[in-house]
Each structure stands twice: as structure tokens, then as C-alpha cells.
Amino acid sequence: MKYINFEEEPSAAVLDSRFMNEALKEAQKALEFNEVPIGAVIVHSGRVIGRGYNLTERLQDVTAHAEIQAFTAAADSVGGKYLRDCTLYVTLEPCVMCAGASYWTQISRIVFGATDDKRGFGRIDQCIIHPKTQILGGVNAQECGALLKDFFSKRRNKL
């Protein structure tokens, strides 16, 4: 007897939104530590294998970006440095450092929320992303951007 599944698989856009919400949860963790609220998750075969949030102030480490934390966690999860067939979801467009790190992981996709007009990788002339990496921006951009704007607005008001 053959069984038929009448439930449709979620579309790529629905999955991207769902996993970006997971990255937003990580950004909320950063916010709890008064860090710039940026979060990231890495997904393989529909499962989160790495999570990270910004820890630069807490660790006093300029390299402790959300993406780097997530890369490290994902590499531990898969038992190696390459993250082929994985997707990075991050609430803010990666900076040049994180984009460069993504190159070395050979990650398949980068999906980001808000754009970073000052420090995002789109500001440089040459591409530092692996040539096989696909990039999609603007997923849940309003929520991602609002979290950052609110954080910096409150910070400026305290000064």
C-alpha cells in the first residue's frame, strides 16, 4: 500500500523566514548582555547545527561576532571546518571579516536580514565570498533592522 502525504513542504521563503527568526532569538541573547544585537544560526538539512550571538564586549574580543560563534559551533557539530550544504542565517549583513571567514568554510548560502551600509561586505569592490556561495538579503529585514535601531537609539539617549 502506498501512502500519500498531502501536506506540502514549506517553501524556501517560509524556511528562510523561520530560520531567520531563530537568528533573531540569538540576537535577543546578545541584547541581554548589552551587546549589539546580532544573531546567527547555521542550518544543514533543515536542522540548526550552530548558533551564535555577538559577544565582542563581553569577551573583549573584536572577532567574537555572531557569525564566527556560529561557524565554530557548526564546525564542532559536523566534525570539520567545511560547511558545504549549509546555510548561514544572520540578522545583519556580514562584515568583511565574517564574509572572509565564510569563504574558508565554503558555506553554500548566506541569508541576512538588515543591510549594513557602513560595514557590510557589499561595500567593498572585490567579492570575498566563496564563488559557489549564494547570497540572499532582506529576509525579515524589518524585524532585524528594528532591533538594531532600537538598541542604538537607547544607547544614544543614555549618553
Side-chain angles (χ1 to χ4, degrees):
M1 176 172 246
K2 191 175 191 181
Y3 290 96
I4 300 172
N5 181 359
F6 291 101
E7 293 181 24
E8 290 185 33
E9 291 292 319
S11 70
V14 168
L15 289 174
D16 286 345
S17 180
R18 183 180 301 161
F19 288 120
M20 187 60 73
N21 285 334
E22 290 297 312
L24 279 162
K25 289 177 187 175
E26 295 300 310
Q28 287 291 339
K29 292 177 186 177
L31 191 59
E32 291 171 16
F33 292 112
N34 203 31
E35 294 275 0
V36 176
I38 301 169
V41 296
I42 296 177
V43 174
H44 179 263
S45 297
R47 189 171 68 82
V48 175
I49 62 167
R51 295 176 177 274
Y53 55 90
N54 194 24
L55 288 168
T56 58
E57 297 301 324
R58 188 166 188 214
L59 298 179
Q60 291 296 294
D61 179 356
V62 297
T63 67
H65 290 198
E67 299 94 316
I68 302 299
Q69 305 300 318
F71 288 147
T72 301
D76 286 347
S77 177
V78 300
K81 62 184 178 179
Y82 297 116
L83 301 175
R84 298 178 192 109
D85 301 321
C86 294
T87 300
L88 166 67
Y89 292 89
V90 61
T91 57
L92 182 66
E93 176 184 4
C95 71
V96 174
M97 175 184 71
C98 293
S102 76
Y103 180 96
W104 295 106
T105 69
Q106 297 181 17
I107 200 152
S108 297
R109 282 179 81 218
I110 297 173
V111 178
F112 64 88
T115 57
D116 185 349
D117 295 332
K118 293 181 181 178
R119 294 180 186 90
F121 64 79
R123 300 259 315 151
I124 59 173
D125 292 333
Q126 60 184 5
C127 184
I128 59 170
I129 303 294
H130 194 277
K132 293 183 180 177
T133 300
Q134 299 171 354
I135 301 166
L136 175 64
V139 174
N140 298 12
Q142 189 151 10
E143 298 95 318
C144 295
L147 188 61
L148 288 160
K149 286 177 186 174
D150 186 51
F151 173 81
F152 285 114
S153 176
K154 287 178 181 174
R155 182 181 257 185
R156 279 190 297 274
N157 290 336
K158 286 183 180 181
L159 296 178

